[in-house]
């Protein structure tokens, strides 16, 4: 079982940027496929990105692919989500997770979820 800890969230003004981190232990990101999701209050969990082992291939939600970039630093065993041009609608708790099987866009295909990090974007 992989343990994941997200960090890097905070309060940012609209148009700003944040970089989220997802530090892994108990397993190597070189051999695990990973995902980023977010969940806003009162809304369903939303897929952001899927990244293959070591970050060699990435898939993004269409609405975010031009502003968000997921990548892996295998030396630090950490996955990142660079978020640019943030808007108030990006306000949510952001989670990373390990992909196990099935639809890469569905949260049910992932496990070992981190505790999440809160991102708040002010207008």
């Amino acid at each position: 079982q992989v343990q994941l800890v997200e960090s890097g969230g905070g309060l940012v003004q609209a148009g700003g940027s944040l970089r989220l981190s997802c530090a892994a232990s108990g397993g190597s990101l070189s051999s695990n496929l990973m995902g980023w999701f977010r969940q806003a209050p009162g809304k369903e969990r939303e897929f952001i990105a899927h990244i293959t082992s070591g970050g060699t291939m990435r898939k993004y939600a269409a609405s975010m692919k031009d502003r968000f970039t997921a990548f892996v630093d295998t030396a630090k065993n950490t996955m990142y989500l660079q978020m640019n041009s943030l808007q108030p609608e990006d306000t949510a708790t952001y989670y990373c997770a390990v992909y196990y099987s099935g639809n890469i866009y569905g949260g049910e295909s992932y496990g070992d979820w981190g505790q999440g990090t809160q991102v708040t974007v002010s207008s």
Side-chain angles (χ1 to χ4, degrees):
Q1 187 176 6
V2 180
Q3 291 79 47
L4 302 172
V5 178
E6 301 95 335
S7 62
L11 175 64
V12 63
Q13 289 188 331
S17 298
L18 280 176
R19 178 175 292 185
L20 306 184
S21 299
C22 172
S25 59
S28 172
L29 295 186
S30 297
S31 56
N32 280 286
L33 287 73
M34 304 291 294
W36 281 102
F37 287 78
R38 68 184 184 185
Q39 188 165 21
K43 294 189 176 181
E44 293 186 355
R45 183 170 51 196
E46 182 179 21
F47 170 82
I48 298 172
H50 172 83
I51 187 165
T52 56
S53 309
T56 53
M57 188 177 76
R58 289 158 281 189
K59 295 278 189 182
Y60 295 95
S63 61
M64 289 175 255
K65 65 181 180 69
D66 293 331
R67 299 186 297 123
F68 292 5
T69 301
F71 59 98
V72 173
D73 185 335
T74 54
K76 295 182 178 180
N77 210 31
T78 298
M79 180 174 66
Y80 299 91
L81 184 68
Q82 177 68 41
M83 305 186 296
N84 300 325
S85 301
L86 285 164
Q87 299 302 316
E89 52 266 34
D90 294 315
T91 295
T93 302
Y94 285 70
Y95 299 89
C96 59
V98 177
Y99 171 80
Y100 282 98
S101 65
N103 178 15
I104 65 167
Y105 303 102
E108 68 278 3
S109 300
Y110 297 78
D112 301 331
W113 294 84
Q115 84 290 347
T117 186
Q118 177 68 38
V119 171
T120 302
V121 185
S122 63
S123 57

